[in-house]
Amino acid sequence: MLVAAAVCPCPPLLVPAVAAGAAPELDAARAACTDALGVLAAARPDRLVVVGPVGSAGPETYPEGTRGSFRGFGVDLDVRLGPAAGPHGEQRLPYSLAVAAWLLERTGWSDAPVEGLGVGESLTPERCVGTGRDIATRAERVALLVMGDASACRTLKAPGYLDERAAPFDAEVARALGAADAAALTALDARLAHELKASGRASWQVLAGAAEGADLGGSLLYEDAPYGVGYLVATWS
């Protein structure tokens, strides 16, 4: 059963080494993420599942210890998902899960085994919800770290340019996350999310499926749109 969840944004800029001189601009978001991971630790889960967007349809699994890197951004920084040594092979974390791995390393996560799950934007809401339901049965006490950004169309300089639908979309997501409203997350329009470049849609709907019957309460810790992209931090417990 799902006992806690933390929702965090996943831009590589969240990692100070990647952001470089712009790092202070996301200090508040980093602090909120740290607080959110504290809620996960306090729930004393048996297993932590990290869910984040990937380029493929997914779901794609990443065992504990899978490595990731930010070398693609010119930064000599490697991360590992969870404290355990990982399998040998060519599999590498996508950036969303690499950011999650950095957050876990930063907070010294050692409270439960960790596994990663990548979900693509083409995954239907029904598949996302079903995946979440399956995750909730994997252990007696399951926690989720849910990675994903809201719309990328909040300003003229945003990656997706300005779209007047972006702010209302983000506001509804923020409301749903703050209220632990799984039904509202399930009802998010996948096509609209795609048009607004909201990478978190599939991850949030996995959370909605996992939370069915869990009777969790929500708290919105951070909401802003630096660089024209919606970033949200929330907890369910």
Side-chain angles (χ1 to χ4, degrees):
M1 174 178 282
L2 185 70
V3 295
V7 178
C8 296
C10 61
L13 286 173
L14 202 62
V15 180
V18 175
E25 296 177 22
L26 291 180
D27 279 348
R30 293 184 194 97
C33 290
T34 297
D35 291 343
L37 265 64
V39 171
L40 296 185
R44 304 185 67 175
D46 300 319
R47 176 164 296 275
L48 174 64
V49 180
V50 182
V51 183
V54 293
S56 59
E60 186 171 353
T61 59
Y62 298 85
E64 182 168 24
T66 303
R67 293 185 176 276
S69 171
F70 295 98
R71 296 176 187 271
F73 296 92
V75 175
D76 185 14
L77 177 62
D78 297 323
V79 292
R80 185 172 67 190
L81 186 64
H88 296 287
E90 296 300 319
Q91 189 180 37
R92 292 292 182 267
L93 296 173
Y95 284 125
S96 64
L97 298 187
V99 172
W102 176 81
L103 287 171
L104 291 169
E105 288 184 4
R106 180 174 184 255
T107 55
W109 179 269
S110 60
D111 299 86
V114 183
E115 62 183 278
L117 182 72
V119 289
E121 68 172 0
S122 62
L123 204 65
T124 66
E126 293 76 18
R127 285 285 307 280
C128 293
V129 169
T131 298
R133 290 173 182 151
D134 175 69
I135 289 173
T137 67
R138 293 185 186 179
E140 185 174 343
R141 298 180 64 81
V142 177
L144 280 179
L145 174 53
V146 183
M147 308 298 292
D149 301 338
S151 71
C153 303
R154 292 282 292 273
T155 66
L156 292 174
K157 294 184 178 180
Y161 197 65
L162 176 64
D163 190 314
E164 293 182 354
R165 301 172 296 174
F169 177 89
D170 288 358
E172 171 58 13
V173 173
R175 187 207 62 78
L177 291 175
D181 188 342
L185 294 180
T186 299
L188 290 175
D189 187 322
R191 180 174 180 178
L192 176 60
H194 170 71
E195 292 173 355
L196 297 177
K197 303 184 183 299
S199 69
R201 188 274 308 172
S203 299
W204 301 328
Q205 290 179 329
V206 170
L207 167 61
E212 288 183 357
D215 193 27
L216 302 180
S219 179
L220 185 66
L221 306 185
Y222 176 86
E223 178 186 8
D224 202 357
Y227 318 116
V229 181
Y231 296 151
L232 301 165
V233 180
T235 59
W236 292 18
S237 62

